[in-house]
């Protein structure tokens, strides 16, 4: 009886593991972007269609590359810190510039770039404090952290982090969650393409996925900079350091339910800052070399 029970348990375990073990991913293409055209490029951001790419230059200027026209345009020559730019649901670019005043304080200004007209509109006055560009499904906004917002009913859905809180806009109303303890706060929140989950990074915990009620649905491991590939998968950066500099960095593919993960390149590739859109993955290296990757997931 015990032998039969053990055999049945093994069969059940094999049935449960089979979809996980059968999961595979293949990198079908990998190519350099803007080789010989641009200098070092960092913090790439794809739009949802994957036909436009934002990136920062070595001196902090913000540029936009159009895959269809093969043209690069300067959005602003003012300094834009990494991760301070995004595409809104309206196709415009929302970003934050910063300047140092004579008193050595840093002042940040929220701005919007219309891709069609190439016009820049100032959205906020210069502000001493943290200002964040937030992508929403109907557009975008620039948020002065710690300050109350005006009515957000026209914004659609979106997500961002402040300290150890995740802020989510659902049906024009803001919800605030702290689903896991984190000694140094949260970063890099984003909505899944279907708008039903939020992924973010919690220091000391790794990547966390929650639903729109703030309930944890998956813990994906100690990776950084999560970005939704589709509703079922995310890509993320896995970097190590010696306390002074990076010793390795690679791009990972993570299943959103936490059951599976795969390396998309080697730790020695020094690949970082992944972004997804339109079925493609773009990342940069520690030296500022942009790459475009395509994958095939065998589900």
């Amino acid at each position: 009886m015990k032998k039969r029970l053990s055999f049945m348990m093994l069969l059940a375990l094999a049935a449960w593991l089979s979809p996980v073990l059968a999961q595979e991913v293949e990198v079908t293409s990998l190519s350099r972007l803007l080789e010989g055209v641009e200098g070092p490029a960092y913090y790439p951001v794809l739009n949802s269609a994957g036909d436009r790419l934002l990136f920062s230059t070595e001196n902090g200027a913000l540029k936009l590359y159009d895959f269809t026209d093969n043209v690069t345009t300067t959005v602003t020559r003012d300094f834009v810190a990494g991760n301070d730019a995004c595409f809104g649901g309206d196709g415009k670019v929302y970003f934050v510039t910063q300047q140092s005043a004579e008193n050595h304080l840093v002042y940040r200004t929220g701005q919007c770039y219309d891709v069609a007209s190439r016009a820049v509109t100032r959205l906020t006055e210069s502000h001493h404090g943290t200002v964040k560009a937030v992508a929403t499904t109907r557009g975008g906004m620039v948020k002065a952290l710690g300050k109350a917002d005006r009515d957000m009913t026209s914004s659609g859905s979106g997500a961002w982090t402040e300290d150890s809180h995740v802020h989510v806009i659902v049906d024009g109303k803001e919800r605030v969650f702290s689903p896991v303890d984190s000694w140094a706060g949260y970063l890099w929140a984003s909505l899944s393409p279907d708008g039903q989950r939020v992924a973010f990074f919690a220091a000391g915990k790794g990547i966390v996925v929650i639903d729109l009620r703030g309930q944890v649905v998956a813990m994906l491991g100690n990776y950084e900079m999560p970005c939704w590939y589709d509703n079922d998968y995310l890509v993320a950066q896995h970097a190590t350091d010696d306390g002074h500099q990076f010793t390795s960095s690679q791009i990972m593919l993570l299943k959103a339910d936490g059951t599976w993960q795969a390396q998309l390149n080697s730790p020695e590739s020094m690949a970082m800052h992944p972004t997804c859109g339109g079925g493609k993955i773009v990342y940069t290296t520690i030296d500022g070399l942009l790459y475009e990757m395509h994958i095939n997931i065998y589900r």
Side-chain angles (χ1 to χ4, degrees):
M1 181 65 181
K2 287 185 179 180
K3 289 183 178 180
R4 179 175 177 78
L5 183 60
S6 298
F7 179 71
M8 295 302 292
M9 290 176 64
L10 285 172
L11 284 179
L13 180 61
W16 180 81
L17 283 174
S18 59
V20 178
L21 295 174
Q23 189 87 64
E24 291 184 11
V25 60
E26 176 189 11
V27 176
T28 57
S29 68
L30 181 66
S31 58
R32 275 280 304 277
L33 288 175
L34 303 177
E35 184 176 5
V37 178
E38 292 288 336
Y42 302 96
Y43 301 102
V45 179
L46 282 167
N47 65 352
S48 59
D51 57 3
R52 292 191 174 112
L53 176 74
L54 292 171
F55 62 91
S56 296
T57 66
E58 201 166 22
N59 62 7
L62 182 66
K63 291 191 173 185
L64 185 149
Y65 173 63
D66 190 307
F67 286 83
T68 303
D69 297 335
N70 194 29
V71 172
T72 302
T73 305
T74 298
V75 175
T76 180
R77 298 187 187 281
D78 294 334
F79 184 82
V80 178
N83 299 310
D84 270 352
C86 64
F87 286 100
D90 54 3
K92 297 179 180 180
V93 177
Y94 294 82
F95 62 99
V96 179
T97 57
Q98 63 182 55
Q99 306 83 27
S100 296
E102 293 180 358
N103 55 12
H104 302 295
L105 296 178
V106 175
Y107 289 84
R108 298 174 176 86
T109 307
Q111 308 200 51
C112 176
Y113 175 79
D114 188 312
V115 177
S117 66
R118 298 189 178 182
V120 174
T121 303
R122 176 177 288 197
L123 300 180
T124 69
E125 296 300 319
S126 294
H127 174 79
H128 174 56
T130 303
V131 181
K132 181 172 291 189
V134 178
T136 62
T137 53
R138 295 178 191 163
M141 62 182 183
V142 176
K143 172 98 172 51
L145 301 192
K147 290 195 172 185
D149 288 300
R150 296 188 295 273
D151 178 52
M152 294 184 292
T153 54
S154 62
S155 299
S157 302
W160 70 94
T161 61
E162 293 186 35
D163 300 322
S164 293
H165 298 88
V166 178
H167 296 248
V168 185
I169 306 172
V170 181
D171 298 327
K173 296 182 179 180
E174 185 176 344
R175 305 177 183 180
V176 184
F177 307 116
S178 293
V180 296
D181 293 331
S182 177
W183 60 273
Y186 301 165
L187 290 169
W188 307 308
S190 62
L191 278 172
S192 59
D194 62 8
Q196 297 303 304
R197 287 160 295 164
V198 176
F200 64 94
F201 170 83
K205 303 289 185 180
I207 297 174
V208 184
V209 179
I210 61 173
D211 61 22
L212 299 184
R213 300 170 300 158
Q215 301 298 308
V216 175
V217 296
M219 304 285 287
L220 305 188
N222 195 22
Y223 308 111
E224 309 90 31
M225 305 189 76
C227 178
W228 292 91
Y229 178 76
D230 58 20
N231 287 316
D232 299 317
Y233 296 88
L234 299 96
V235 295
Q237 167 187 299
H238 181 211
T240 62
D241 63 80
D242 60 8
H244 302 283
Q245 60 185 5
F246 288 111
T247 55
S248 71
S249 190
Q250 66 184 136
I251 307 302
M252 303 289 297
L253 180 69
L254 312 172
K255 198 165 186 182
D257 61 7
T259 61
W260 179 85
Q261 58 184 241
Q263 301 177 12
L264 295 181
N265 47 27
S266 70
E268 295 77 24
S269 65
M270 301 304 286
M272 50 187 57
H273 309 159
T275 179
C276 302
K280 67 177 65 169
I281 300 166
V282 170
Y283 63 86
T284 188
T285 68
I286 197 169
D287 298 318
L289 306 181
L290 284 174
Y291 285 89
E292 177 184 342
M293 174 186 288
H294 290 260
I295 62 174
N296 189 11
I297 302 171
Y298 299 96
R299 306 174 192 250

